[in-house]
Amino acid sequence: MDKRFGLLGRNISYSFSQGYFTEKFKELGLTGYSYVNFDVQKIEDFQEIINSTKGLVGFNITIPYKEAIFPYLTAIDPEAKEIGAVNVVKVVPNGLKGYNTDVHGFKESLRPHLKPWHTNALILGTGGASKAVAHALKSLQIPYKYVSRTASSGKIGYGDLNAATISKHTVIINCTPLGTFPNVEQKPAIPYQFLTDRHLVFDLIYNPPQTSFMKHAQAQGATAVNGHEMLKLQAEKAWEIWNEN
């Protein structure tokens, strides 16, 4: 029987996942397996796709539906529930079960780059991906603060970032879509002049491989990492979940 997988998101023609899994099926000799993009303008439209896609085993979820998917799930993995965001769904006998593999992908791709002085982090953005990042930082015992367009309880505004804040927070993670192809000149509005060679910046974006955020950080001597390895790791974890009995 044919098996179907896919990616649920909006405006996702650039997607990494479709190419990655199509190549994986080819390498493993899995005939009858396919991976497609479920590109919908609003979350409500995805129900029809689920009902009409024969042989659907599971799907990934990307911006902007990692939180919006919750009402459609019949079960949620405890870690995904704690995080508050889902990026993998498995079709189960009684409906759909949600998981979060972003946290594994981020944690394991960040870990090799950490140095003893990487003791505080700034998370740029407050969407679904940022929740997985926060969960991973917590498990790595790295305190963090969110940075948002407007300051509020527990969140710093971009306008409040100064030399002292940047100096203290030596890990900075971009969880916003700013800089994603084709808008490659965009970048988060942080004071890049205060970055140093003690800073590690991590951009969840993978297209382009070197974002404007990364370039400006590297110009100050900072180490910059993109989201490609994170994507591969979370995809492999998703594959494990889909293949569990």
Side-chain angles (χ1 to χ4, degrees):
M1 184 179 133
D2 290 351
K3 294 196 173 184
R4 301 277 176 264
F5 304 84
L7 175 69
L8 175 68
R10 185 192 295 157
N11 304 330
I12 49 173
S13 58
Y14 64 87
S15 144
F16 159 92
S17 300
Q18 187 175 28
Y20 185 83
F21 280 106
T22 301
E23 191 58 35
K24 186 176 188 66
F25 300 154
K26 201 182 293 179
E27 284 174 8
L28 295 174
L30 297 172
T31 54
Y33 280 57
S34 62
Y35 192 103
V36 296
N37 285 342
F38 302 134
D39 201 326
V40 298
Q41 290 305 301
K42 55 185 194 295
I43 188 69
E44 293 80 6
D45 296 339
F46 109 97
Q47 197 71 58
E48 189 183 333
I49 289 167
I50 298 303
N51 296 336
S52 61
T53 306
K54 290 179 181 171
L56 186 65
V57 176
F59 52 95
N60 298 106
I61 303 175
T62 188
I63 292 171
Y65 302 131
K66 292 185 182 187
E67 296 158 295
I69 192 72
F70 271 74
Y72 299 90
L73 303 173
T74 49
I76 304 168
D77 177 74
E79 186 174 49
K81 188 178 279 189
E82 189 183 336
I83 292 164
V86 159
N87 74 304
V88 173
V89 169
K90 182 177 183 176
V91 177
V92 292
N94 64 337
L96 303 172
K97 183 170 182 180
Y99 299 82
N100 191 300
T101 66
D102 278 338
V103 67
H104 168 78
F106 174 71
K107 185 176 172 180
E108 296 310 317
S109 52
L110 178 73
R111 201 197 296 269
H113 302 282
L114 291 173
K115 300 285 189 277
W117 54 86
H118 291 142
T119 52
N120 288 276
L122 292 176
I123 300 174
L124 311 181
T126 56
S130 72
K131 293 182 171 183
V133 165
H135 190 84
L137 290 172
K138 201 181 294 178
S139 73
L140 290 166
Q141 297 184 308
I142 298 174
Y144 60 86
K145 280 191 163 58
Y146 283 106
V147 183
S148 186
R149 276 173 292 193
T150 50
S152 62
S153 174
K155 292 175 188 150
I156 307 171
Y158 282 97
D160 300 323
L161 295 174
N162 54 31
T165 308
I166 297 294
S167 176
K168 178 183 176 183
H169 297 86
T170 46
V171 180
I172 303 177
I173 304 111
N174 177 32
C175 298
T176 78
L178 291 170
T180 307
F181 180 84
N183 304 309
V184 296
E185 295 308 314
Q186 294 181 350
K187 62 185 186 300
I190 68 167
Y192 292 89
Q193 68 271 26
F194 301 135
L195 295 175
T196 68
D197 59 4
R198 290 173 69 83
H199 282 86
L200 167 62
V201 305
F202 193 111
D203 201 330
L204 267 56
I205 293 167
Y206 62 93
N207 183 14
Q210 189 189 39
T211 61
S212 184
F213 170 67
M214 291 169 67
K215 283 179 194 168
H216 281 74
Q218 286 169 323
Q220 299 300 123
T223 299
V225 181
N226 70 18
H228 192 259
E229 186 64 17
M230 173 184 170
L231 267 174
K232 288 200 305 187
L233 290 167
Q234 68 81 20
E236 286 303 316
K237 198 73 174 167
W239 182 242
E240 276 179 36
I241 289 166
W242 292 330
N243 285 286
E244 285 169 355
N245 291 327

